[in-house]
Each structure stands twice: as C-alpha cells, then as structure tokens.
Amino acid sequence: MQVKITNVYTNKGQKELHLKGAWGNSFLIEYPDDKILFDLGWKGKIFLQNLTHLGYSPNEISSVVFSHGHRDHTGSLPLFLKNRTITKPLSIYGHPSMTEPKKQKILGPIQLNMTYPNMDQIDPNKYQVHLNTDPVEIHDKLWTTGEILKRKEKDGTKKGLIHKINNTWKRDPLLDDLSLILEAKEGLIIIGGCMHAGLLNTIEHVHDQFKASGKKISTIIGGTHLFTSSPEDIDAIMQKIENKYQIEHFYLNHCTGTNAQTKFKEKFGSERVSSCPVGTQLSFEI
C-alpha cells in the first residue's frame, strides 16, 4: 500500500505552481482510504489556498495531529473547521499541554502571542480532541512519538519561548513537541513539525521506540529547529547522525534554516538531502 506525504504549508512556496509560502508547517498524509494532516500552518487563507490548489478539500480530512501548540503550526485551525461542511467531527490529536498559553519574546518588552487558537467561536460538535503523552497510532503504521522526555542533546527551546504555568510566565520546555513516524518498508520515516525536542533527541527517541522491531530510521522530513544552531553544533549533529544512524534521506524545511540545509547538502550530498517547499510530494510503501 502506498502512502503519499505532501507539504501543504511551509516558509518556501512555489509561485509557478500557485503555492504560497509562509512561516510554519503542514503535511498531508494520504492513505487510499483516509487523509490526515500534520499541523496546519499559521495563516488560514494561505493554508486553504494551497490545499485547494493541490486538489484537496477540508471535507476529505478525517484527522489533524499537532506537533505542538505554537500558532505557526495551529493557527489555521478555526478557518479550516469553518470550511468543513460535513457533519462527522474532525479528530484532533496532540499533547495535553499544547493548548496552554505560550509567547515568544521578540525585542525588549515585545512578546508575540504563540498560543493555540481560541476556539470559542467554533461549534464544538465540529471536532473531538484527543490529548495524550504516550505514542498514539493515528492510522495503519502511522504513530506519534508521544512526549520526548529524554533529551541528552541540545533541544530547540530557548529563554525567549515562554509559557504560563501556575499563573506565572516561565521558560517553556515544550514538552508538547512531538513528531510522526511512518513504518515504511524501506525503514522508519520521521516527519517533524518543528522538533523543539531536538533533532538528535527525536531520532534517539524513535530509535528506542522501535528498537525491538529492528527497524532503522531511513528518512527525516520537515522542520528540525537548527536555524539558531551554530555551525559547530550542526557539524556535531551531522557527525552523530552519520556515525550512529546512517539515515539515507533528508527533506528539510521550516525551522531547519538555510545554513543547516546547506551544510547537510555539503556533507551528505544533494542525492540524499533536498529542500521541502510547499507542493513537495513523497510516496512510501508500507
């Protein structure tokens, strides 16, 4: 059975295909009998325009999985739900802390609201929310990582990313960060929204999660939150990936950053490393 993965929303668009880019991420995972979205991007109009240009309708989507609660991955949800006209509710999956108040400090006192969108104006019958810290099987051979607590390597958190807990704003450990794993015949496919848990930590978590099966990680897709990493840190990450995991393919976008993408291509070669703009389509046999 073929599973197709299509990028619907990310920083880099493709004007010639009438696909617009904007900060955030969204992937469509398409089975013969079902369609699932992983994240929805920030700007609802752009997301819906891209979805339509790619030949899909909001009514075709059964489920949405959120990588974490930040607005650049969840912001399109209200408009997406308003454009669904079928009566069957949308299943929404994520971590229990994804809806907590979140902000990003920009300059001095300026703080950007990054909280999961307000759903007060949305008919509650249109969706059902499923929150879990453990891995969840969303469809055949498609799993969430669940909460990634073991973070021996640097993660993608920083002082400027804060959340409100017990009525106090504190540095956000982003425990809600999760990725998706597709068990393909060629190996495990990791799809990341942002990987605030850290690229190496996410890889190690998935490796441990599937160790008993003997399956190896073959492909990394999406955001890896390396855009603020130093060249030295990126070099160290790539070396550890090569020495321990021998991952075959990388399709990188969003918060990976231009510098990290360039360094990955220099080390692994353009046959193994590709950018992943809006409209990128990949197929895997499961």
Side-chain angles (χ1 to χ4, degrees), residues 33-91:
D33 63 343
D34 202 2
K35 296 178 180 68
I36 298 152
L37 281 165
F38 181 49
D39 288 345
L40 294 176
W42 195 330
K43 299 180 179 180
K45 288 184 178 179
I46 291 177
F47 169 78
L48 288 171
Q49 286 172 6
N50 286 346
L51 189 71
T52 300
H53 278 302
L54 288 164
Y56 301 101
S57 160
N59 286 341
E60 297 179 74
I61 311 302
S62 69
S63 308
V64 171
V65 183
F66 285 123
S67 62
H68 61 302
H70 279 165
R71 189 67 62 91
D72 53 328
H73 295 258
T74 63
S76 298
L77 180 60
L79 190 59
F80 176 71
L81 284 169
K82 287 178 181 178
N83 278 268
R84 279 172 59 86
T85 58
I86 58 175
T87 57
K88 185 177 181 180
L90 178 76
S91 294

Short mmCIF file of all heavy atoms in Angstrom, two decimals, residues 33-91:
data_model
loop_
_atom_site.label_atom_id
_atom_site.label_comp_id
_atom_site.label_asym_id
_atom_site.label_seq_id
_atom_site.Cartn_x
_atom_site.Cartn_y
_atom_site.Cartn_z
N ASP A 33 -7.56 5.15 1.79
CA ASP A 33 -8.88 5.27 2.40
C ASP A 33 -9.00 6.42 3.39
O ASP A 33 -10.02 6.56 4.07
CB ASP A 33 -9.24 3.96 3.12
CG ASP A 33 -8.29 3.66 4.28
OD1 ASP A 33 -7.19 4.26 4.33
OD2 ASP A 33 -8.65 2.83 5.14
N ASP A 34 -7.97 7.27 3.49
CA ASP A 34 -8.02 8.31 4.51
C ASP A 34 -6.99 9.40 4.23
O ASP A 34 -6.00 9.17 3.52
CB ASP A 34 -7.73 7.70 5.89
CG ASP A 34 -8.26 8.55 7.03
OD1 ASP A 34 -8.88 9.59 6.77
OD2 ASP A 34 -8.03 8.17 8.21
N LYS A 35 -7.24 10.59 4.78
CA LYS A 35 -6.31 11.71 4.66
C LYS A 35 -6.17 12.38 6.02
O LYS A 35 -7.17 12.70 6.66
CB LYS A 35 -6.79 12.71 3.61
CG LYS A 35 -6.84 12.15 2.20
CD LYS A 35 -7.37 13.17 1.20
CE LYS A 35 -7.42 12.59 -0.21
NZ LYS A 35 -8.44 11.51 -0.32
N ILE A 36 -4.92 12.58 6.42
CA ILE A 36 -4.60 13.11 7.75
C ILE A 36 -3.67 14.29 7.58
O ILE A 36 -2.75 14.26 6.75
CB ILE A 36 -3.91 12.01 8.59
CG1 ILE A 36 -4.85 10.82 8.80
CG2 ILE A 36 -3.43 12.57 9.94
CD1 ILE A 36 -4.14 9.51 8.99
N LEU A 37 -3.89 15.35 8.35
CA LEU A 37 -3.00 16.50 8.32
C LEU A 37 -2.13 16.53 9.57
O LEU A 37 -2.61 16.27 10.69
CB LEU A 37 -3.80 17.80 8.23
CG LEU A 37 -4.33 18.15 6.84
CD1 LEU A 37 -5.40 19.22 6.92
CD2 LEU A 37 -3.19 18.61 5.92
N PHE A 38 -0.85 16.83 9.38
CA PHE A 38 0.07 17.04 10.47
C PHE A 38 0.44 18.52 10.48
O PHE A 38 1.17 18.99 9.63
CB PHE A 38 1.31 16.17 10.27
CG PHE A 38 2.34 16.28 11.37
CD1 PHE A 38 1.97 16.17 12.71
CD2 PHE A 38 3.68 16.46 11.08
CE1 PHE A 38 2.90 16.26 13.72
CE2 PHE A 38 4.64 16.55 12.08
CZ PHE A 38 4.25 16.44 13.41
N ASP A 39 -0.13 19.25 11.43
CA ASP A 39 -0.03 20.70 11.52
C ASP A 39 -0.82 21.39 10.40
O ASP A 39 -1.14 20.77 9.39
CB ASP A 39 1.43 21.17 11.52
CG ASP A 39 2.15 20.85 12.83
OD1 ASP A 39 1.47 20.53 13.82
OD2 ASP A 39 3.39 20.92 12.85
N LEU A 40 -1.10 22.69 10.63
CA LEU A 40 -1.94 23.43 9.68
C LEU A 40 -1.35 24.78 9.28
O LEU A 40 -2.00 25.52 8.54
CB LEU A 40 -3.33 23.67 10.30
CG LEU A 40 -4.20 22.45 10.56
CD1 LEU A 40 -5.50 22.86 11.24
CD2 LEU A 40 -4.52 21.72 9.27
N GLY A 41 -0.14 25.09 9.75
CA GLY A 41 0.41 26.40 9.44
C GLY A 41 -0.29 27.51 10.22
O GLY A 41 -1.16 27.27 11.05
N TRP A 42 0.11 28.74 9.93
CA TRP A 42 -0.33 29.90 10.71
C TRP A 42 -1.50 30.64 10.04
O TRP A 42 -2.52 30.93 10.66
CB TRP A 42 0.85 30.85 10.88
CG TRP A 42 0.68 31.91 11.93
CD1 TRP A 42 -0.47 32.50 12.35
CD2 TRP A 42 1.73 32.49 12.71
NE1 TRP A 42 -0.22 33.42 13.33
CE2 TRP A 42 1.13 33.45 13.57
CE3 TRP A 42 3.11 32.33 12.74
CZ2 TRP A 42 1.87 34.21 14.46
CZ3 TRP A 42 3.84 33.10 13.64
CH2 TRP A 42 3.23 34.02 14.49
N LYS A 43 -1.34 30.97 8.78
CA LYS A 43 -2.31 31.83 8.08
C LYS A 43 -3.33 30.98 7.33
O LYS A 43 -3.02 30.33 6.34
CB LYS A 43 -1.58 32.77 7.12
CG LYS A 43 -0.61 33.69 7.84
CD LYS A 43 0.12 34.62 6.88
CE LYS A 43 1.06 35.55 7.64
NZ LYS A 43 1.79 36.47 6.75
N GLY A 44 -4.56 31.00 7.85
CA GLY A 44 -5.60 30.12 7.33
C GLY A 44 -5.90 30.28 5.85
O GLY A 44 -6.11 29.29 5.14
N LYS A 45 -5.91 31.51 5.36
CA LYS A 45 -6.23 31.73 3.94
C LYS A 45 -5.18 31.11 3.04
O LYS A 45 -5.50 30.50 2.01
CB LYS A 45 -6.38 33.23 3.66
CG LYS A 45 -7.65 33.84 4.25
CD LYS A 45 -7.79 35.30 3.85
CE LYS A 45 -9.08 35.89 4.41
NZ LYS A 45 -9.24 37.33 4.06
N ILE A 46 -3.91 31.28 3.41
CA ILE A 46 -2.84 30.70 2.61
C ILE A 46 -2.90 29.18 2.67
O ILE A 46 -2.77 28.49 1.64
CB ILE A 46 -1.46 31.20 3.09
CG1 ILE A 46 -1.31 32.68 2.76
CG2 ILE A 46 -0.33 30.38 2.45
CD1 ILE A 46 -0.02 33.29 3.25
N PHE A 47 -3.15 28.64 3.87
CA PHE A 47 -3.25 27.20 4.01
C PHE A 47 -4.37 26.64 3.12
O PHE A 47 -4.17 25.67 2.38
CB PHE A 47 -3.51 26.81 5.46
CG PHE A 47 -3.89 25.37 5.64
CD1 PHE A 47 -2.93 24.38 5.60
CD2 PHE A 47 -5.22 24.98 5.78
CE1 PHE A 47 -3.27 23.04 5.72
CE2 PHE A 47 -5.57 23.66 5.90
CZ PHE A 47 -4.59 22.68 5.88
N LEU A 48 -5.55 27.24 3.17
CA LEU A 48 -6.68 26.74 2.39
C LEU A 48 -6.45 26.91 0.89
O LEU A 48 -6.84 26.05 0.10
CB LEU A 48 -7.97 27.45 2.82
CG LEU A 48 -8.51 27.04 4.20
CD1 LEU A 48 -9.65 27.96 4.61
CD2 LEU A 48 -8.97 25.59 4.21
N GLN A 49 -5.81 28.01 0.49
CA GLN A 49 -5.50 28.21 -0.92
C GLN A 49 -4.56 27.11 -1.42
O GLN A 49 -4.77 26.54 -2.49
CB GLN A 49 -4.85 29.58 -1.13
CG GLN A 49 -5.83 30.74 -1.04
CD GLN A 49 -5.13 32.09 -1.07
OE1 GLN A 49 -3.92 32.18 -1.27
NE2 GLN A 49 -5.89 33.15 -0.86
N ASN A 50 -3.52 26.82 -0.63
CA ASN A 50 -2.58 25.77 -1.03
C ASN A 50 -3.26 24.41 -1.07
O ASN A 50 -3.05 23.64 -2.01
CB ASN A 50 -1.41 25.72 -0.04
CG ASN A 50 -0.44 26.87 -0.20
OD1 ASN A 50 -0.48 27.60 -1.19
ND2 ASN A 50 0.43 27.06 0.78
N LEU A 51 -4.08 24.13 -0.07
CA LEU A 51 -4.78 22.85 -0.03
C LEU A 51 -5.65 22.68 -1.27
O LEU A 51 -5.66 21.61 -1.90
CB LEU A 51 -5.64 22.76 1.25
CG LEU A 51 -6.27 21.41 1.57
CD1 LEU A 51 -5.21 20.40 2.00
CD2 LEU A 51 -7.33 21.55 2.68
N THR A 52 -6.37 23.75 -1.64
CA THR A 52 -7.24 23.70 -2.81
C THR A 52 -6.44 23.54 -4.10
O THR A 52 -6.79 22.72 -4.97
CB THR A 52 -8.09 24.98 -2.89
OG1 THR A 52 -8.89 25.09 -1.70
CG2 THR A 52 -9.01 24.95 -4.09
N HIS A 53 -5.34 24.29 -4.24
CA HIS A 53 -4.51 24.18 -5.44
C HIS A 53 -3.89 22.80 -5.59
O HIS A 53 -3.64 22.35 -6.71
CB HIS A 53 -3.41 25.25 -5.43
CG HIS A 53 -3.85 26.59 -5.89
ND1 HIS A 53 -4.39 26.82 -7.14
CD2 HIS A 53 -3.86 27.80 -5.27
CE1 HIS A 53 -4.70 28.09 -7.28
NE2 HIS A 53 -4.39 28.72 -6.16
N LEU A 54 -3.68 22.13 -4.47
CA LEU A 54 -3.14 20.77 -4.51
C LEU A 54 -4.22 19.72 -4.78
O LEU A 54 -3.91 18.53 -4.90
CB LEU A 54 -2.41 20.47 -3.20
CG LEU A 54 -1.07 21.19 -3.02
CD1 LEU A 54 -0.61 21.14 -1.56
CD2 LEU A 54 -0.01 20.61 -3.94
N GLY A 55 -5.47 20.17 -4.85
CA GLY A 55 -6.56 19.27 -5.23
C GLY A 55 -7.29 18.61 -4.09
O GLY A 55 -7.95 17.58 -4.29
N TYR A 56 -7.23 19.22 -2.89
CA TYR A 56 -7.87 18.62 -1.73
C TYR A 56 -8.91 19.56 -1.13
O TYR A 56 -8.85 20.78 -1.32
CB TYR A 56 -6.83 18.26 -0.67
CG TYR A 56 -5.78 17.29 -1.16
CD1 TYR A 56 -4.52 17.73 -1.53
CD2 TYR A 56 -6.06 15.92 -1.25
CE1 TYR A 56 -3.55 16.85 -1.99
CE2 TYR A 56 -5.09 15.03 -1.71
CZ TYR A 56 -3.85 15.50 -2.07
OH TYR A 56 -2.90 14.62 -2.53
N SER A 57 -9.84 18.97 -0.38
CA SER A 57 -10.89 19.72 0.29
C SER A 57 -10.83 19.46 1.80
O SER A 57 -10.48 18.35 2.22
CB SER A 57 -12.26 19.27 -0.24
OG SER A 57 -13.30 19.61 0.67
N PRO A 58 -11.16 20.45 2.64
CA PRO A 58 -11.22 20.22 4.08
C PRO A 58 -12.13 19.05 4.47
O PRO A 58 -11.89 18.38 5.47
CB PRO A 58 -11.75 21.54 4.64
CG PRO A 58 -11.31 22.56 3.64
CD PRO A 58 -11.42 21.86 2.30
N ASN A 59 -13.16 18.80 3.65
CA ASN A 59 -14.08 17.70 3.97
C ASN A 59 -13.46 16.33 3.82
O ASN A 59 -13.99 15.33 4.34
CB ASN A 59 -15.33 17.79 3.08
CG ASN A 59 -16.25 18.91 3.48
OD1 ASN A 59 -16.19 19.42 4.59
ND2 ASN A 59 -17.10 19.33 2.56
N GLU A 60 -12.33 16.23 3.11
CA GLU A 60 -11.67 14.94 2.92
C GLU A 60 -10.82 14.53 4.11
O GLU A 60 -10.42 13.37 4.22
CB GLU A 60 -10.76 14.99 1.69
CG GLU A 60 -11.47 15.23 0.37
CD GLU A 60 -10.47 15.29 -0.76
OE1 GLU A 60 -9.96 14.22 -1.15
OE2 GLU A 60 -10.19 16.39 -1.27
N ILE A 61 -10.54 15.46 4.99
CA ILE A 61 -9.60 15.21 6.09
C ILE A 61 -10.34 14.63 7.29
O ILE A 61 -11.30 15.22 7.77
CB ILE A 61 -8.88 16.52 6.49
CG1 ILE A 61 -8.32 17.25 5.26
CG2 ILE A 61 -7.81 16.23 7.52
CD1 ILE A 61 -7.34 16.46 4.43
N SER A 62 -9.86 13.51 7.80
CA SER A 62 -10.50 12.89 8.96
C SER A 62 -9.88 13.34 10.27
O SER A 62 -10.56 13.40 11.30
CB SER A 62 -10.41 11.37 8.87
OG SER A 62 -9.07 10.94 9.05
N SER A 63 -8.56 13.63 10.25
CA SER A 63 -7.83 13.89 11.49
C SER A 63 -6.75 14.95 11.28
O SER A 63 -6.22 15.10 10.18
CB SER A 63 -7.15 12.62 12.00
OG SER A 63 -8.05 11.55 12.09
N VAL A 64 -6.44 15.65 12.35
CA VAL A 64 -5.30 16.56 12.39
C VAL A 64 -4.46 16.21 13.61
O VAL A 64 -5.00 16.04 14.71
CB VAL A 64 -5.74 18.04 12.47
CG1 VAL A 64 -4.55 18.95 12.73
CG2 VAL A 64 -6.45 18.46 11.20
N VAL A 65 -3.17 16.09 13.41
CA VAL A 65 -2.22 15.88 14.51
C VAL A 65 -1.39 17.14 14.63
O VAL A 65 -0.86 17.64 13.63
CB VAL A 65 -1.30 14.67 14.24
CG1 VAL A 65 -0.39 14.43 15.45
CG2 VAL A 65 -2.11 13.42 13.92
N PHE A 66 -1.26 17.66 15.84
CA PHE A 66 -0.44 18.86 16.03
C PHE A 66 0.90 18.49 16.66
O PHE A 66 0.95 17.78 17.67
CB PHE A 66 -1.17 19.88 16.90
CG PHE A 66 -2.26 20.61 16.16
CD1 PHE A 66 -3.56 20.59 16.62
CD2 PHE A 66 -1.98 21.32 15.00
CE1 PHE A 66 -4.57 21.26 15.94
CE2 PHE A 66 -2.97 21.99 14.30
CZ PHE A 66 -4.27 21.97 14.77
N SER A 67 1.98 19.03 16.07
CA SER A 67 3.31 18.76 16.59
C SER A 67 3.55 19.44 17.92
O SER A 67 4.32 18.96 18.75
CB SER A 67 4.37 19.21 15.58
OG SER A 67 4.30 20.61 15.37
N HIS A 68 2.90 20.59 18.12
CA HIS A 68 2.95 21.33 19.39
C HIS A 68 1.96 22.48 19.27
O HIS A 68 1.29 22.62 18.24
CB HIS A 68 4.37 21.82 19.71
CG HIS A 68 4.95 22.76 18.71
ND1 HIS A 68 5.12 22.44 17.38
CD2 HIS A 68 5.42 24.04 18.84
CE1 HIS A 68 5.67 23.44 16.75
NE2 HIS A 68 5.85 24.44 17.58
N GLY A 69 1.85 23.29 20.31
CA GLY A 69 0.79 24.29 20.33
C GLY A 69 1.09 25.61 19.69
O GLY A 69 0.18 26.46 19.60
N HIS A 70 2.30 25.87 19.24
CA HIS A 70 2.64 27.18 18.69
C HIS A 70 1.76 27.57 17.50
O HIS A 70 1.42 26.74 16.67
CB HIS A 70 4.11 27.21 18.27
CG HIS A 70 5.06 27.47 19.41
ND1 HIS A 70 6.40 27.25 19.33
CD2 HIS A 70 4.83 27.93 20.67
CE1 HIS A 70 6.97 27.56 20.48
NE2 HIS A 70 6.04 27.97 21.31
N ARG A 71 1.44 28.86 17.44
CA ARG A 71 0.48 29.38 16.49
C ARG A 71 0.88 29.16 15.03
O ARG A 71 0.02 29.03 14.15
CB ARG A 71 0.28 30.89 16.76
CG ARG A 71 -0.84 31.56 16.00
CD ARG A 71 -2.21 31.06 16.42
NE ARG A 71 -2.52 31.32 17.80
CZ ARG A 71 -3.14 32.42 18.26
NH1 ARG A 71 -3.48 33.37 17.42
NH2 ARG A 71 -3.40 32.56 19.54
N ASP A 72 2.21 29.08 14.75
CA ASP A 72 2.63 28.89 13.36
C ASP A 72 2.37 27.46 12.87
O ASP A 72 2.56 27.17 11.69
CB ASP A 72 4.10 29.27 13.15
CG ASP A 72 5.05 28.61 14.11
OD1 ASP A 72 4.66 28.34 15.25
OD2 ASP A 72 6.21 28.36 13.72
N HIS A 73 1.89 26.60 13.77
CA HIS A 73 1.53 25.22 13.40
C HIS A 73 0.05 24.93 13.62
O HIS A 73 -0.47 23.96 13.11
CB HIS A 73 2.38 24.24 14.20
CG HIS A 73 3.84 24.32 13.86
ND1 HIS A 73 4.48 23.41 13.05
CD2 HIS A 73 4.77 25.24 14.20
CE1 HIS A 73 5.74 23.76 12.91
NE2 HIS A 73 5.94 24.88 13.61
N THR A 74 -0.62 25.79 14.39
CA THR A 74 -2.02 25.55 14.75
C THR A 74 -2.97 26.66 14.30
O THR A 74 -4.19 26.49 14.35
CB THR A 74 -2.15 25.40 16.28
OG1 THR A 74 -1.76 26.64 16.91
CG2 THR A 74 -1.28 24.27 16.81
N GLY A 75 -2.44 27.80 13.88
CA GLY A 75 -3.26 29.00 13.68
C GLY A 75 -4.38 28.89 12.66
O GLY A 75 -5.37 29.60 12.74
N SER A 76 -4.23 27.98 11.68
CA SER A 76 -5.24 27.85 10.63
C SER A 76 -6.46 27.02 11.06
O SER A 76 -7.42 26.91 10.30
CB SER A 76 -4.63 27.20 9.38
OG SER A 76 -3.61 27.99 8.84
N LEU A 77 -6.41 26.47 12.26
CA LEU A 77 -7.47 25.54 12.69
C LEU A 77 -8.88 26.14 12.64
O LEU A 77 -9.79 25.51 12.07
CB LEU A 77 -7.17 24.99 14.08
CG LEU A 77 -8.20 24.01 14.65
CD1 LEU A 77 -8.35 22.78 13.76
CD2 LEU A 77 -7.81 23.59 16.08
N PRO A 78 -9.15 27.32 13.20
CA PRO A 78 -10.53 27.83 13.17
C PRO A 78 -11.08 27.99 11.76
O PRO A 78 -12.22 27.57 11.47
CB PRO A 78 -10.42 29.18 13.88
CG PRO A 78 -9.25 29.03 14.79
CD PRO A 78 -8.27 28.19 14.01
N LEU A 79 -10.29 28.57 10.85
CA LEU A 79 -10.77 28.77 9.48
C LEU A 79 -10.94 27.43 8.77
O LEU A 79 -11.89 27.24 7.98
CB LEU A 79 -9.82 29.67 8.70
CG LEU A 79 -10.31 30.15 7.34
CD1 LEU A 79 -11.61 30.95 7.48
CD2 LEU A 79 -9.25 31.01 6.65
N PHE A 80 -10.04 26.50 9.04
CA PHE A 80 -10.15 25.15 8.46
C PHE A 80 -11.47 24.50 8.89
O PHE A 80 -12.20 23.95 8.06
CB PHE A 80 -8.96 24.30 8.90
CG PHE A 80 -9.03 22.87 8.45
CD1 PHE A 80 -8.85 22.53 7.12
CD2 PHE A 80 -9.26 21.84 9.37
CE1 PHE A 80 -8.90 21.20 6.70
CE2 PHE A 80 -9.32 20.52 8.95
CZ PHE A 80 -9.14 20.20 7.62
N LEU A 81 -11.81 24.59 10.17
CA LEU A 81 -13.04 23.99 10.67
C LEU A 81 -14.28 24.70 10.10
O LEU A 81 -15.29 24.06 9.79
CB LEU A 81 -13.07 24.02 12.19
CG LEU A 81 -12.18 22.99 12.89
CD1 LEU A 81 -12.07 23.28 14.38
CD2 LEU A 81 -12.72 21.57 12.67
N LYS A 82 -14.21 26.01 9.94
CA LYS A 82 -15.33 26.75 9.37
C LYS A 82 -15.61 26.34 7.94
O LYS A 82 -16.74 26.44 7.46
CB LYS A 82 -15.06 28.25 9.45
CG LYS A 82 -15.16 28.83 10.86
CD LYS A 82 -14.84 30.31 10.88
CE LYS A 82 -14.92 30.86 12.30
NZ LYS A 82 -14.55 32.30 12.36
N ASN A 83 -14.57 25.87 7.24
CA ASN A 83 -14.72 25.46 5.84
C ASN A 83 -15.07 23.99 5.68
O ASN A 83 -15.24 23.52 4.56
CB ASN A 83 -13.44 25.78 5.07
CG ASN A 83 -13.38 27.22 4.63
OD1 ASN A 83 -13.80 27.58 3.53
ND2 ASN A 83 -12.88 28.09 5.51
N ARG A 84 -15.17 23.27 6.79
CA ARG A 84 -15.65 21.88 6.74
C ARG A 84 -17.17 21.89 6.83
O ARG A 84 -17.73 22.46 7.76
CB ARG A 84 -15.06 21.05 7.89
CG ARG A 84 -13.65 20.56 7.62
CD ARG A 84 -13.04 19.93 8.86
NE ARG A 84 -13.80 18.80 9.36
CZ ARG A 84 -13.66 17.53 8.93
NH1 ARG A 84 -12.78 17.26 8.00
NH2 ARG A 84 -14.37 16.56 9.46
N THR A 85 -17.83 21.26 5.87
CA THR A 85 -19.30 21.28 5.84
C THR A 85 -19.91 19.91 6.17
O THR A 85 -21.13 19.79 6.22
CB THR A 85 -19.80 21.74 4.46
OG1 THR A 85 -19.26 20.86 3.46
CG2 THR A 85 -19.35 23.16 4.19
N ILE A 86 -19.08 18.91 6.39
CA ILE A 86 -19.61 17.58 6.72
C ILE A 86 -19.92 17.51 8.21
O ILE A 86 -19.38 18.27 9.01
CB ILE A 86 -18.62 16.45 6.32
CG1 ILE A 86 -17.28 16.63 7.03
CG2 ILE A 86 -18.44 16.43 4.81
CD1 ILE A 86 -16.31 15.48 6.77
N THR A 87 -20.80 16.60 8.57
CA THR A 87 -21.23 16.51 9.97
C THR A 87 -20.27 15.70 10.84
O THR A 87 -20.24 15.88 12.06
CB THR A 87 -22.63 15.85 10.06
OG1 THR A 87 -22.59 14.57 9.42
CG2 THR A 87 -23.66 16.73 9.39
N LYS A 88 -19.48 14.81 10.23
CA LYS A 88 -18.55 14.00 11.01
C LYS A 88 -17.49 14.89 11.63
O LYS A 88 -16.82 15.65 10.93
CB LYS A 88 -17.90 12.93 10.13
CG LYS A 88 -17.01 11.98 10.92
CD LYS A 88 -16.44 10.89 10.03
CE LYS A 88 -15.56 9.94 10.84
NZ LYS A 88 -14.98 8.87 9.99
N PRO A 89 -17.30 14.83 12.95
CA PRO A 89 -16.32 15.72 13.59
C PRO A 89 -14.88 15.37 13.21
O PRO A 89 -14.55 14.21 12.96
CB PRO A 89 -16.56 15.49 15.08
CG PRO A 89 -17.20 14.14 15.18
CD PRO A 89 -18.01 13.98 13.93
N LEU A 90 -14.05 16.39 13.18
CA LEU A 90 -12.63 16.23 12.92
C LEU A 90 -11.96 15.72 14.19
O LEU A 90 -12.18 16.27 15.28
CB LEU A 90 -12.01 17.56 12.52
CG LEU A 90 -10.51 17.59 12.25
CD1 LEU A 90 -10.20 16.96 10.89
CD2 LEU A 90 -9.98 19.02 12.31
N SER A 91 -11.14 14.69 14.09
CA SER A 91 -10.36 14.21 15.24
C SER A 91 -9.07 15.02 15.32
O SER A 91 -8.34 15.13 14.33
CB SER A 91 -10.04 12.73 15.09
OG SER A 91 -11.20 11.94 15.15
#
